[in-house]
Each structure stands twice: as C-alpha cells, then as structure tokens.
C-alpha cells in the first residue's frame, strides 16, 4: 500500500511538472497548425488606460486603442468610434477613425496582425467648486470579416436507414461512413457553426443539411453580430444550394438583433446515393461585427 | 470472720487488681513501644515515600503527556482535528484582519490575504482528508489540478487545454480508482469543496457583481462579504459529536446546517448569465481581492448583523427603523471622519446633520465625485447671549442683543444682506433698532459679502425701553444677489437611423445613467435651486432627436427661510428651439418672476413656464448609429430671507 501511495504521489508530481512546462507553444509544428479553429476574433483594448485616472485641466490627452486580430481571417473596413464624451469637458480632435485591413492568423501572421490607433483630445476647465469630473464613454469598433466552414468528412450513405444509427448493416457492422449530428468548436472567428445535422432523403435522392450558427465571441473580442451574408457553398466540389432559415432563397443577407444572435442555414443537393462515401462540405460566410467597451476619463484640477 | 474474709477478700481482690493494672500497664507500654517503633518505621517510610512521591509525580507528568496525546488521538479518531481548529481560528483571524486592514494598503496585485487564503485552502484539504477513513490522498487530486489550472495556467478557458487537463484528471482518477477499488471517487468529489470556499473567501461573487453587473440586493452584499468562510469550513469539517457536551454538539450541528443553507442561498440568489471569456473564465486572485475591497468600501462600516443585534436590545418594537438609522449613521460618521472631523469635536454633529440632509434630499450627483460647496448664511448666538435681562422699574432696558451673522460664499458672488429685528409679545410687536458691526450710519442696515467667508455682528435694541416679560426676538436678513447653478445630463440619438434602438438605449443607460437619480438635475445645497429637465418625456434622459421634447423647470426652496424674489433664471440650451406660445422663450430665461406677496407663507416651489423643444442643435442631429452625451446648466439669481427667533425674558426688579 505504501508503495502504491508513493507511486501515486510520484505520478502526480511528474504530471504536474509536465503540465507546468507545457505552454502551448508548438513552435515546431506551425506548418501543420490549423488556425481555423476556436472563436477568437478582433480584440479591443486600451494601451494607456491607467493614464485616465488623472487628466488635468486644459491639458492634452491621448486615448490609444489597440486592435489585435486573433481570428483566422482578415478584418476589413474597420471603424473605431468614441461615444459619450461630454465635449464641455473633453474635446476630441476626432471621435472616429477607420482602419483598412488587419490580417488574421496565418502562416505569415501566426499571432495575427495588430495595430494602434491614437485619439487626441484636450480637456477644458472644471466648473466652479467642482473638484473632478468623471467622463464615461464607449469605445465602439465595427468591422467586416469572413468565415469559412469546412467539414472534410461529410458522409453520404444510402444505408443510413438501416438498423440502429446510420450506416449500420444487418450484421451489426458499419458499411461505409456514418451519418450523425456533428458539433464543432469554432472555425477561427466569432461567427461559428456550432452543429450540423444531415438528413438524407432517399425518395428524393437528395441530401439536406442543417447548420446551426451562433455568435461565440469571448472576452476582449466579444461583441455583436450585426449582419451576416451567406456566401458560396459546395459539397464534393459541386455547388450546394443554401438559404437562411426563415428567409427566401434569394435573401442572402440578414440583419441580427442583439438578443437573437443565432440562426440556421439550410442546404440541400441532389446526390447519387448508390454508394457510401465521404466528401468535403464548404460554406462561406461574410459578417459585420461590432464590439463595445466602456471606459472612463477623470478630469481633475 | 467476715471481716477477715472481707479483708482477705479485699486483699485478694486488691492483688488481682494490682496484677491486672500491671498487666495493663505492661500492655500499654508494649503498645507504646510498638507505636514508637512503628512511628520510627513510618518516619522512614515517609521519607522514602516522599522521594517515591516525587518520582511518582514526575512519571505522572510524563504519563499525563501521554494521556493528552492519547486523548488527542481519541479526538482525532472522533474527527476533531487540529486542522479543523486551525481553519476555525485562522479563518476568523483572517477575516478580522481583512476588515480592519484594507487590502489597498498592501500590494494590490497579490495581497497577503491571498497567500493566507491559499494556506487555509491547503489546511482545508487536510482537514477534509482527516475525516475520511480511507483513500484520503484522493482529495488532493482535484485540489492539485485546480491549483495548477488557476495559478500556473491562469485559469484558461481554451478548449484544447481544458480537454488536456480533464484527460489528466480522468487518468489520475482512474489510477486511484483501480487501486482503491472505486473508493476514491467520493474523496475526489469532496476535494472540490475547498475550491468552492477558496473563491467564496476571495470574493468571487463581488467580482462577478462588479464586472458582470449582476443584480445583487444590499442584503446579499452583506451576506457575502461579512462571512468568515474558512471558519465556516472548519465548522463543517467537525464531526456530528464533536465533544462530550450534547448542547455544544447540537449548536455545532445547527451552525453546520445553517452554513450549508447559507452557501446555497449565496450561490443561487444572483442569476448568472452565460458569459464566457476567451483567455480566462475567472479573474485572478489579486483582482478578486481588489473587487472585494472596493465593494467593502461602498458598504456601511457597521456590520448589518451587529446592527440587528444591537437594535434587538435597543428598540425591539421598531427594529427595521433602528437598523436603517444605525447603518445610515455609520456611513455618515465615516464621511465626516474622512472630512477631518473628530467624533468628540463639537462640529461633528453639525457635519452629520449636514450630510444627513444631503442624503435625504437625494443629491446624488452622477459623474461629479464631490458636490459643489453650497452658499450658507445664518445667525449664530453664543453662550453669552442675554436670554434673561433685568431692569429696575424706574430704569430703561439697557440690554443690547448681539448675534453673529456668518456667511460661506464659495463662488465669491456679491451678496448683500439687509438686517432687521423685532420683539414680539403675543400680538404686540416692538420694533428693534439694528446696528451692523456697531454702525448704523445713515440707516445703513446692510452689509456686502464678497469673500469666501464673511461675518458681521448684528445688534438689536428694542425701541421700547420699558419691556417686561417674555418676548420672541426675531432677526431677519434679506439676502440679495444669491446665485446658484444646476446641472443636467442628457444623451441624444437619431431614432430613424438606428437599427437596434433597444440595444443603443441599454448601452447609454449602462454607461451614463446607471444611478437611480442620474436623470435629475443636480445642484448644491443652497437656499434655493432651479430644477429642470427635458426630453421626449421630461424624466427620460435619452432623447430621440427625431421627436419633439418637453422642457420643464421650477425653483425649489431648499432652505428653511423664504424666497423673496426670483430675480432671473437662465436655462442654457443653446441651439435648441424651445418656445411657448407666440415664440416666447420664457421657458429658457426670465426675470423678476411674480411671487405671492403674502408674508406669512414660505414658498416651497415656484413653477416656471414649460415649453416644447421642436428643434435641436445641428451637432446633435444625423448621428447615424451613434449618440452624443452632453451636460447642461441652468442659473438662478434670487433673494432670500433668513430668520432666527430667540426666546428671551426681561425681568423688572422692584
């Protein structure tokens, strides 16, 4: 028993050492690394937030915004806006700036491209007997980006209707690939396909897919999906007909409200279901995203 | 013969008796010898016994030590472990120190209290392990995994890392489960309890409240922060029969049950929305500690439970009112202490009353940390004021009645004060002659104040020198040139250009109007103030510029005197098209507002004209998806009457 205890403690210590030394930096494997996973997006932050604890009267000040693209796709047509500063106290030279392209994570930009934007302003005077004035404001970022959903092993199997789950033969073994509902942990953008259901229809020789999408932005890249455009889709290299559920076939762009960020895309195609095989499914999306963060300046004497 | 026989008898008897006596004496002697011999023996014995006794005593001490040790062992077997006791006392000590030594004094990043919490966390694991009879080591698995995840991996929420950690946890659990034949599952689950208490102690919930703006009632705030969590954990690790005293056992069990309900209530009461973080799901220990300290600073200094306890004895019939007053008093005391007043200071009560008045008038100025200092003016009597005067019947009253008139004029405006006084006895009013600073030249009864602080001596003599009896002496100061400024915040958006109005309004509310009175105008606690508001509805601070607004304002008497005149008002809405009928702009500015002339009434409110705003400045229009936030001012110039009444007595002698 003592030996077992000793061995167990030793195992725990070794595993702890292993975990501590593991920092996720697989520098030797970048070439194989798939950036198109997870839910990261454009991250917003202020570089000099500590400075705002004291902005003196009639003095210039600067708000430095840091943008860091952690998505696997480029961010385009970006705009940052400062909202809510009372210009009786804080006068900004400009409350809005644009940025063109921030590259996403790739082999050439493994950590994503980042950029700083400077907003300059000047404080005025406090009113009589005012010791300080707190100015709350919102920093808003709007940008456009894309997302590509790829499932390289989409199963097409005419035997799905047999005993038990799809693909199982009478003898109990599998014939071909298995049709199942699949879950995904992101495609490297805050807009993500979370689940896909496949519904073959033998009578129509057609295969139907239901893709569930949601806004999975987190932390510094958490924001709101404003608009989504359904792009091209293909199954096995051939065009896949898709539409957004609840809308007409030709309506490829929808606006989303803050309280309802999820939606469903329905895709279908006539296929030859005489044999079972796996093929790649690709669906492209474009979206507009908005991030808002609250900060404050304090004007003091 | 008989006599001879008698003599013989007597002689015989005597010999027998003598022999008996001798025998007895010998016997006694022998006994005495025996006794002395035994005494000697005893003496020897006593000596040896003494040494034996010492020896015994020393060995007795050693035995006692063993007994203590063995009794401790018994207790350990029963479950009252040293670790539990350390948790109870250490937890209480940590909590008391936290209350009195705010963590801002120490390094805010990773304070000493975090280190103490970590140590208690380890002791908690040990205390829990001691309660289990077997497979105790398994408790350490979740604790160790959590420790590494939280401190080394910075509580990352990355799915791949989480999956990795879960696999390691599962593997270790499997190893233990195999070797323990499934007995290690329960200890592993129990190992999550110290984790839970670690967060409760460091203030996880206050941080979620501060960062995620969860709705928490003041009661819940108190319950979270005024609870020594580790001490509670120590109590929970005690066994059902912690001592031989049944009453004590009962009390401990009650506390344990209440503690469990307490924790469940704390965890379930606030609704936790599903919000995730890319890097870290949970804040760092330093952030938790800071948030807890920030939250503690906002709470009244006096513990709510303590207030309740005191009020049970002080005013059991009205506990709620009593508790509210105690909590309010503790807040006011802290404010006055911070201002530099000492409790024993005579001005301390005055400070408390002023702050209470501010609190009750609801002058919660959003965005301005310190309120503007109000203009004040008042008559002050000293202890030398002659409340009772004497005169001879043949003489005139020679008493002059002097008071000080103090003015605080923070904005250094030109304030003119004109004084008068009178003596009233029933319906009879005797006018008084006023001197200001001992002067009454050319009937000059007024004085001007232009500095920040000013004072004047106002004396009053009755014109009737033959006064007698009780009178009410009234001093009046008519102040003119008083000015006050009120401020109001509003946000503007273009309703026809915003896709999601509800979201924008929520953002604006959260950023600028989170306080309950943030939509109201704010003014210093002067004698009077101008209250104004405008919007699509007057009280709605978020204005859609595509819709007309309404402006409404009034002058409020905030002091105990009387508004004598509203000289002018000016609501500064430059660029706004606000008009009443026929283009009159009297809702924005006006002069010499009509007031009732009834001297007996003290006006509370003077309503000013209301009007409709039909157009906005160009910079506030066509805002697209954005909004603008602006502050506005309104000025008021007015005259005010300050009064002081003093009861006095004139006694006529002879």
């Amino acid at each position: 028993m003592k030996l077992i205890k000793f061995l167990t403690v030793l195992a725990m210590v070794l595993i702890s050492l292993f975990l501590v030394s593991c920092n996720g930096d697989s520098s030797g494997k970048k070439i194989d690394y798939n950036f198109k996973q997870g839910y990261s997006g454009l991250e917003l932050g202020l570089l000099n937030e500590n400075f705002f604890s004291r902005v003196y009267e009639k003095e210039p000040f600067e708000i430095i915004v840091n943008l860091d693209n952690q998505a696997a796709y480029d961010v385009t047509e970006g705009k940052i806006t400062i909202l809510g500063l009372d210009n009786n106290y804080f006068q900004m030279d400009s409350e809005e700036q644009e940025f063109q392209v921030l590259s996403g994570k790739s082999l050439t930009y493994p950590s994503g491209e980042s950029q700083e934007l400077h907003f300059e302003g000047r404080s005025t005077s406090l009113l009589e007997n005012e010791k300080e004035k707190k100015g709350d404001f919102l920093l808003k970022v709007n940008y456009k980006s894309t997302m590509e959903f790829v499932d390289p092993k989409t199963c097409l199997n005419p035997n799905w209707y047999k005993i038990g789950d799809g693909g199982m033969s009478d003898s109990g073994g599998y014939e071909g690939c298995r049709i199942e509902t699949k879950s995904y942990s992101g495609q490297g953008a805050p807009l993500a396909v979370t689940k896909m259901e496949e519904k073959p229809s033998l009578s129509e020789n057609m295969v139907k897919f239901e893709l569930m999408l949601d806004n999975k932005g987190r932390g510094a890249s958490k924001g709101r999906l404003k608009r989504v455009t359904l792009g091209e889709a293909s199954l096995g290299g051939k065009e896949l007909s898709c539409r957004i559920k609840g809308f007409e076939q030709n309506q490829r762009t929808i606006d989303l409200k803050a309280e309802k960020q999820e939606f469903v895309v329905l895709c279908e195609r006539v296929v030859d279901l005489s044999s079972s095989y796996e093929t790649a499914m690709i669906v492209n999306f474009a979206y507009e995203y908005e991030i808002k963060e609250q900060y404050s300046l304090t004007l003091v004497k | 013969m008989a006599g001879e026989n008698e003599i013989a008898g007597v002689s015989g008897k005597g010999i027998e008796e003598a022999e008996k006596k001798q025998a007895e004496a010998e016997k006694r002697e022998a006994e005495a010898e025996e006794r002395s011999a035994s005494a000697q023996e005893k003496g020897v014995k006593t000596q040896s016994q003494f040494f034996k006794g010492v020896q015994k005593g020393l060995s007795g001490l050693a035995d006692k030590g063993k007994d203590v040790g063995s009794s401790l062992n018994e207790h350990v077997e029963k479950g009252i472990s040293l670790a539990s006791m350390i948790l109870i006392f250490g937890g209480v000590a940590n909590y008391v120190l936290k209350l009195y030594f705010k963590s801002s004094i120490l390094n805010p990043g990773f304070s000493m209290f975090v280190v103490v919490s970590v140590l208690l966390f380890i002791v908690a694991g040990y205390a829990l392990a001691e309660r289990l009879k077997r497979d105790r080591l398994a408790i350490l698995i979740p604790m160790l995994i959590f420790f590494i995840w939280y401190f080394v991996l910075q509580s990352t929420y990355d799915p791949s890392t989480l999956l990795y950690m879960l696999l390691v946890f599962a593997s270790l659990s499997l190893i233990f489960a195999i070797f323990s034949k499934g007995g290690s599952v329960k200890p592993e689950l129990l190992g999550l309890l110290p984790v839970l208490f670690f967060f409760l102690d460091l203030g996880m919930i206050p941080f979620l409240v501060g960062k995620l703006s969860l709705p928490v009632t003041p009661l819940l705030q108190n319950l979270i922060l005024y609870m020594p969590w580790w001490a509670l954990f120590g109590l929970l690790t005690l066994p059902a029969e912690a001592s031989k005293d049944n009453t004590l056992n009962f009390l401990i069990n009650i506390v344990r049950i209440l503690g469990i309900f307490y924790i469940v209530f704390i965890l379930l009461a606030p609704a936790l929305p599903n919000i995730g973080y890319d890097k870290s799901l949970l804040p760092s220990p330093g952030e938790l500690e800071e948030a807890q300290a920030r939250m503690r600073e906002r709470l009244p200094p006096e513990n709510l439970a303590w207030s309740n306890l005191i009020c049970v004895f002080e005013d059991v019939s009205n506990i709620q009112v009593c508790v509210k007053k105690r909590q309010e008093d503790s807040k006011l005391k802290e404010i006055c202490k911070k201002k530099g007043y000492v409790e024993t200071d005579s001005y301390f009560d005055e400070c408390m009353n002023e702050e209470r008045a501010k609190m009750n008038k609801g002058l919660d100025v959003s965005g301005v940390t310190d309120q503007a200092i109000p203009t004040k003016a008042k008559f002050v009597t000293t202890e030398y004021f002659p409340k009772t005067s004497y005169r001879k019947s043949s003489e005139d009253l020679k008493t002059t009645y002097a008071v000080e008139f103090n003015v605080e004029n923070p904005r250094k405006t030109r304030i003119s004060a004109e004084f008068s006084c009178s003596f009233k006895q029933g319906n009879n009013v005797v006018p008084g002659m006023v001197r200001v600073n001992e002067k009454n030249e050319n009937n000059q009864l007024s004085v001007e104040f232009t500095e920040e602080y000013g004072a004047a001596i106002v004396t009053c003599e009755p014109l009737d020198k033959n006064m007698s009896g009780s009178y009410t002496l009234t001093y009046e100061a008519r102040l003119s040139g008083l000015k006050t400024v009120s401020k109001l915040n509003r946000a503007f958006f273009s309703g026809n250009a915003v896709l999601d109005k509800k979201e924008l309004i929520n953002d604006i509310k959260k950023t600028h109007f989170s306080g309950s009175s943030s939509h109201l105008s704010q003014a210093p606690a002067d004698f009077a103030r101008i209250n104004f508001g405008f919007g699509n509805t007057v009280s709605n601070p978020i204005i859609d510029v595509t819709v007309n607004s309404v402006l409404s304002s009034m002058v409020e008497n905030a002091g105990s005197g009387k508004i004598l005149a509203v000289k002018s008002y000016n609501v500064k809405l430059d660029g706004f098209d606000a008009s009443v009928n026929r283009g009159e702009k009297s809702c924005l500015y006006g002069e010499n507002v009509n007031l009732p002339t009834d001297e007996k009434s003290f006006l509370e409110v003077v309503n000013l004209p209301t009007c409709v705003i039909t157009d906005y400045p160009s910079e506030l229009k066509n805002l697209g998806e954005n909004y603008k936030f602006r502050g506005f001012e309104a000025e008021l110039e007015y005259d005010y009457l300050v009064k002081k009444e003093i009861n006095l007595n004139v006694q006529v002698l002879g």
Side-chain angles (χ1 to χ4, degrees), chain B residues 379-577:
Chain B
F379 291 102
V380 177
T381 53
T382 67
E383 56 265 35
Y384 303 109
F385 187 86
K387 287 198 175 167
T388 305
S389 313
Y390 303 92
R391 71 173 179 87
K392 285 188 179 167
S393 55
S394 55
E395 289 178 357
D396 289 343
L397 180 66
K398 290 171 187 169
T399 310
T400 54
Y401 299 92
V403 292
E404 213 174 272
F405 186 71
N406 292 334
V407 169
E408 287 178 33
N409 181 14
R411 283 178 285 283
K412 297 184 186 174
T413 54
R414 188 177 294 276
I415 299 173
S416 175
E418 191 179 316
F419 300 98
S420 63
C421 66
S422 61
F423 298 82
K424 191 172 176 187
Q425 187 181 48
N427 290 329
N428 185 29
V429 177
V430 175
M433 187 175 72
V434 161
R435 287 181 206 276
V436 181
N437 292 333
E438 294 303 309
K439 288 179 193 165
N440 191 352
E441 295 160 4
N442 302 323
N443 244 3
Q444 188 185 352
L445 304 171
S446 64
V447 68
E448 273 192 357
F449 300 95
T450 53
E451 296 300 316
E452 201 175 330
Y453 296 99
I457 304 293
V458 181
T459 54
C460 185
E461 287 178 36
L463 290 178
D464 177 6
K465 303 292 182 188
N466 295 321
M467 286 184 0
S468 70
S470 298
Y471 289 84
T472 302
L473 168 55
T474 303
Y475 287 93
E476 285 183 351
R478 289 170 181 262
L479 304 173
S480 57
L482 292 169
K483 285 181 185 160
T484 184
V485 176
S486 299
K487 289 174 279 196
L488 179 74
N489 293 324
R490 287 294 183 260
F492 303 86
F493 72 98
S494 300
N496 56 2
V498 174
L499 191 67
D500 196 340
K501 245 191 249 184
K502 193 174 157 189
E503 198 208 353
L504 179 66
I505 288 171
N506 277 342
D507 285 338
I508 296 170
K509 230 183 243 180
K510 208 168 115 186
T511 309
H512 301 288
F513 301 104
S514 54
S516 57
S517 55
S518 51
H519 62 288
L520 299 173
S521 60
Q522 295 109 34
D526 287 344
F527 297 114
R529 59 173 179 250
I530 177 167
N531 297 333
F532 70 111
F534 70 94
N536 301 136
T537 56
V538 172
S539 57
N540 185 356
I542 304 171
I543 300 171
D544 179 356
V545 297
T546 60
V547 177
N548 288 345
S549 291
V550 174
L551 166 69
S552 188
S553 54
M554 65 173 180
V555 175
E556 184 188 342
N557 183 359
S560 53
K562 183 180 175 180
I563 298 174
L564 293 173
V566 175
K567 291 274 186 62
S568 69
Y569 63 90
N570 183 12
V571 181
K572 294 179 179 175
L573 292 185
D574 298 334
F576 287 78
D577 189 358

Side-chain angles (χ1 to χ4, degrees), chain B residues 57 104 207 241 243 289 349 379 466 474 506 544 559 597:
Chain B
S104 56
F207 188 83
E241 288 183 2
S243 77
E289 184 62 31
D349 287 336
F379 291 102
N466 295 321
T474 303
N506 277 342
D544 179 356
T597 53

